[in-house]
Amino acid sequence: MSDSAPKRHREPAGGPAAGSAGGGTITTDVPARLDRLPWSRWHWMIVIGLGTVWILDGLEVTTVGNIAGRLSEPGSGLDISASQITGLTAALYVAGSCTGALFFGWLTDRFGRKKLFMITLAVYLTATAMTALSFSTWWFFTFRFLTGFGIGGEYAAINSAIDELIPSKYRGRVDLIINGSYWLGAVGGSLLSVVALNTNIFPVNVGWRLTFALGVVLGLVIMLVRRHVPESPRWQFIHGQADEANALVGDVEKEIEREKGKRLPRAETEMVIHQRKSIGFWLIAKTVFRGYPKRAVLGLSLFIGQAFLYNAITFGFGNILTTFFDVSTGSTGYYFAVIAAGNFLGPLLLGRLFDTVGRRIMISSTYILSGLLLFGTAYLFNRGSLDATTMTACWCVVLFFASAGASSAYLTVSEIFPMETRAMAIAFFYAIGTAAGGITGPLVFSDLTKSGVVGDTVEAFVIGASLMCAAGLVAAFLAVKAEGRSLEDIASPLSSAEPESAAAA
């Protein structure tokens, strides 16, 4: 298998595909039928049912960052320091996310998208509820890890399902906006923390618990909607459920034809598939790293770059505002709400360009531009030219571009590897990149930003900016031109019974 996208021929090759376990050979047009669908109410249901989990993640991370000061105060109910919350607790949450992504990613590719995106949400809900009931630091630490465990599993199950259900014409912008919706949760978490930290409304030991309880309520609402989201037909026809896949797509087509008042055009292409029940882990690893080494380097670069840039800013923003600009802990939420809004506007306004201008130009330019802008912010901060408002404005501009780039990292690893490896590929690159930036980042940056020394904070900014620019340069050379192409054209399924020949990526 080459590192480029293969062309397919119609004639079936003899014999089962390597690594297949049972199953027959079928010819299917399900991918082509899904890709030629016009945007509809059914697609909105997919977006709302699956995409809203990022709002929960944003709410979680931002709330904990904003209430760090209050949790560390006497009377909070926990004997914990602010640095433990922004450092150790954040690292445990990310470690849980990485572990959960790998564990549930493997299960998602094996047992299906729908089963796992229901299970992972249940794990998140339970762990968040238990966090709200924390009575000691070990309990708080344990359930922050388990909350991350559920969220990490969501990343693998949800991204794979979304990209397999959304038409190729819209895949880039939809994926970016959904991943960017994390920042809607961040806006909510910031504003919620302002209310929760107001001791005129809630006692010191109650307000922070209510913020976690709200996450549970929102998660339950999402679960009610998610029950109606179907299994991925692409997963079904490979795993011996071709009849179910055809029936599902047929029902969707009828629904959309009624909505639009006209018949859909005939699907143009078919593919031959050797069905299988499971894919071995070794085959997945060999496919990703031996079959697509350049794409593997690209995925690692994008995830590590964005993780360090974000940790350089977000895990220390509260300490920076309170230490250098005398902003009260109860007011930091207002500033972060502005930053979070800029983060959401990036994917929202730039997302369409990833489908029109193209992946390579947009991914590389958003990464490099955000890195250069953070270098500029570090320079102005080091000179003493910024106050709380202008520092927030600088962060907002940096993250407007960085957010679009970071969201494209998830899109990239989801679409450039074969379907059978999709959830595991998302999980692996998320885990490795986030472990490098998301575990190391909080531990390093919390010390740098809490020291009260300007030069230490500048160093944190420079680290994040450098890695973001480096990732942008990698993307300029290695990013795959995936815009408007079917997933099967970008990377032929391992179960394909059709011969491959190299094509430009």
Side-chain angles (χ1 to χ4, degrees):
M1 186 179 293
S2 69
D3 193 50
S4 56
K7 291 179 180 177
R8 294 191 305 276
H9 305 279
R10 290 293 186 87
E11 300 82 3
S20 63
T25 300
I26 63 165
T27 300
T28 181
D29 61 356
V30 163
R33 291 163 67 190
L34 287 170
D35 281 337
R36 63 73 153 100
L37 293 176
W39 192 261
S40 66
R41 288 191 293 266
W42 184 78
H43 293 106
W44 278 117
M45 182 267 293
I46 300 297
V47 169
I48 294 170
L50 298 182
T52 43
V53 68
W54 275 262
I55 297 177
L56 290 179
D57 192 16
L59 183 73
E60 281 288 325
V61 174
T62 309
T63 295
V64 173
N66 287 333
I67 67 176
R70 182 53 45 83
L71 277 171
S72 63
E73 293 177 0
S76 70
L78 293 178
D79 182 17
I80 192 170
S81 68
S83 62
Q84 281 182 308
I85 298 168
T86 57
L88 180 58
T89 303
L92 284 171
Y93 179 85
V94 175
S97 297
C98 296
T99 307
L102 292 170
F103 177 71
F104 289 118
W106 177 72
L107 294 178
T108 298
D109 280 333
R110 186 177 179 86
F111 296 110
R113 294 14 176 167
K114 184 176 178 68
K115 288 180 182 177
L116 270 298
F117 63 59
M118 295 300 290
I119 292 172
T120 52
L121 182 57
V123 171
Y124 161 82
L125 289 173
T126 302
T128 302
M130 292 299 100
T131 303
L133 300 176
S134 294
F135 57 88
S136 67
T137 52
W138 70 264
W139 181 282
F140 185 79
F141 290 151
T142 299
F143 285 102
R144 287 309 293 162
F145 174 86
L146 291 175
T147 301
F149 190 71
I151 286 291
E154 287 275 284
Y155 279 132
I158 300 304
N159 265 315
S160 54
I162 287 172
D163 284 350
E164 290 168 11
L165 292 169
I166 298 298
S168 57
K169 178 181 178 181
Y170 307 102
R171 189 174 62 241
R173 72 196 75 178
V174 170
D175 202 296
L176 259 69
I177 292 172
I178 285 176
N179 280 283
S181 68
Y182 170 99
W183 296 101
L184 288 178
V187 172
S190 298
L191 298 178
L192 180 62
S193 68
V194 173
V195 178
L197 295 177
N198 189 337
T199 53
N200 293 323
I201 302 176
F202 301 111
V204 174
N205 65 339
V206 172
W208 65 268
R209 298 180 190 274
L210 293 178
T211 61
F212 289 113
L214 180 60
V216 176
V217 173
L218 292 176
L220 288 172
V221 173
I222 293 172
M223 181 169 279
L224 292 175
V225 177
R226 190 173 286 184
R227 291 181 309 157
H228 303 289
V229 177
E231 179 57 85
S232 164
R234 283 178 155 104
W235 184 88
Q236 287 178 318
F237 71 68
I238 283 180
H239 290 79
Q241 301 175 25
D243 291 341
E244 292 88 338
N246 280 310
L248 195 161
V249 176
D251 289 342
V252 173
E253 289 170 330
K254 292 176 183 177
E255 179 183 330
I256 292 176
E257 285 179 340
R258 286 194 297 269
E259 177 186 338
K260 303 298 181 181
K262 60 181 180 181
R263 292 189 62 81
L264 294 169
R266 181 181 176 84
E268 296 293 330
T269 60
E270 296 177 335
M271 61 187 306
V272 182
I273 289 291
H274 281 306
Q275 295 178 308
R276 61 176 82 195
K277 295 296 183 183
S278 64
I279 311 293
F281 185 83
W282 169 244
L283 179 58
I284 293 174
K286 184 173 68 172
T287 300
V288 171
F289 292 101
R290 288 189 182 177
Y292 298 93
K294 293 179 182 178
R295 297 184 185 191
V297 171
L298 172 66
L300 287 173
S301 300
L302 295 181
F303 270 96
I304 291 173
Q306 61 88 23
F308 268 96
L309 179 135
Y310 269 96
N311 282 292
I313 296 175
T314 56
F315 278 107
F317 95 96
N319 280 329
I320 293 171
L321 291 176
T322 56
T323 302
F324 298 105
F325 303 116
D326 296 323
V327 175
S328 66
T329 57
S331 299
T332 56
Y334 291 117
Y335 291 91
F336 198 72
V338 175
I339 295 172
N343 271 282
F344 178 65
L345 288 175
L348 181 65
L349 298 179
L350 299 177
R352 184 175 179 274
L353 300 178
F354 284 77
D355 284 323
T356 54
V357 174
R359 305 285 201 264
R360 179 171 296 177
I361 292 175
M362 291 306 300
I363 294 172
S364 59
S365 61
T366 51
Y367 267 75
I368 292 172
L369 185 55
S370 60
L372 293 176
L373 288 169
L374 186 55
F375 276 125
T377 301
Y379 172 75
L380 293 174
F381 178 67
N382 192 45
R383 287 187 54 189
S385 303
L386 301 175
D387 57 23
T389 301
T390 53
M391 172 65 94
T392 301
C394 287
W395 280 337
C396 195
V397 174
V398 170
L399 296 176
F400 174 86
F401 295 101
S403 181
S407 295
S408 72
Y410 293 92
L411 167 67
T412 297
V413 298
S414 177
E415 66 184 2
I416 64 176
F417 297 105
M419 201 217 76
E420 298 90 337
T421 71
R422 182 159 294 121
M424 198 62 204
I426 295 168
F428 176 81
F429 289 104
Y430 169 79
I432 298 299
T434 305
I439 297 177
T440 306
L443 296 175
V444 172
F445 295 140
S446 63
D447 288 335
L448 291 174
T449 55
K450 76 177 183 180
S451 70
V453 178
V454 170
D456 288 346
T457 298
V458 170
E459 182 181 344
F461 289 168
V462 168
I463 293 172
S466 299
L467 290 173
M468 198 69 170
C469 287
L473 291 174
V474 171
F477 291 97
L478 299 183
V480 178
K481 296 179 180 179
E483 57 275 7
R485 296 167 64 187
S486 72
L487 295 171
E488 292 73 23
D489 183 46
I490 299 167
S492 184
L494 300 180
S495 304
S496 176
E498 302 168 348
E500 300 174 357
S501 61

